[in-house]
Amino acid sequence: MLGARWRRFWGIAGLIACAGAVAQAAVYRCGDVYTNQAIAGQQCHVLVGGQISVVGSTPRSQPSPARAQAQSPSLAASRPEPADKAEQALAVLRAELVQAQQRLSQAQAAPSSDRARAQQAQARAQADVDSLNREIARWSRR
């Protein structure tokens, strides 16, 4: 009885293995093209081994020359000039400097029972002010 069960098991296992092997069709590589059938007139090689995944892509649409010319002036106008970038950077840095100076004055004026923490807050605020002054000097030289 035990032998009949094993024969049935191995028979089913064999059928499953054969079904998997039959399901795999040959894949050919013809130059840069992968296909299920060899292309006549080209040197094609059968790929042997692992699974092959094919990922499709959609072609990019190329803008027409008239459309590209119509867009280019608006794109050029939206790009800031280097001088504008420097001015914008300086404006942002100056606004941050004002905020950092306010934080420094608040840290210096705030009474604190924890002297070490108060000194750390003052040192951090002073370091922020110093670094912003360096950045402003660097951007002003440009």
Side-chain angles (χ1 to χ4, degrees):
M1 202 69 186
L2 187 61
R5 286 185 183 164
W6 279 108
R7 273 185 288 196
R8 180 188 286 161
F9 170 77
W10 287 114
I12 292 173
L15 286 173
I16 291 172
C18 290
V22 171
Q24 294 284 329
V27 177
Y28 296 91
R29 178 175 178 220
C30 305
D32 290 337
V33 177
Y34 295 88
T35 181
N36 292 338
Q37 296 177 348
I39 299 174
Q42 288 191 8
Q43 189 175 13
C44 298
H45 303 281
V46 176
L47 296 179
V48 180
Q51 299 284 331
I52 297 173
S53 297
V54 178
V55 178
S57 65
T58 57
R60 287 187 170 177
S61 62
Q62 297 292 329
S64 65
R67 187 179 212 182
Q69 288 175 355
Q71 288 179 349
S72 57
S74 64
L75 291 176
S78 67
R79 292 187 192 128
E81 294 295 321
D84 292 340
K85 287 183 181 180
E87 290 172 14
Q88 290 173 354
L90 280 170
V92 169
L93 288 170
R94 288 185 180 123
E96 288 181 8
L97 178 63
V98 168
Q99 291 175 353
Q101 288 171 337
Q102 289 173 351
R103 282 193 301 271
L104 177 61
S105 63
Q106 288 172 353
Q108 290 171 341
S112 176
S113 59
D114 189 1
R115 186 170 171 82
R117 185 170 286 178
Q119 287 178 342
Q120 281 181 337
Q122 288 177 8
R124 190 177 321 115
Q126 184 63 50
D128 289 345
V129 168
D130 293 342
S131 66
L132 287 167
N133 280 326
R134 284 192 302 271
E135 280 296 309
I136 290 172
R138 189 177 71 114
W139 277 95
S140 296
R141 284 181 266 158
R142 289 185 178 191

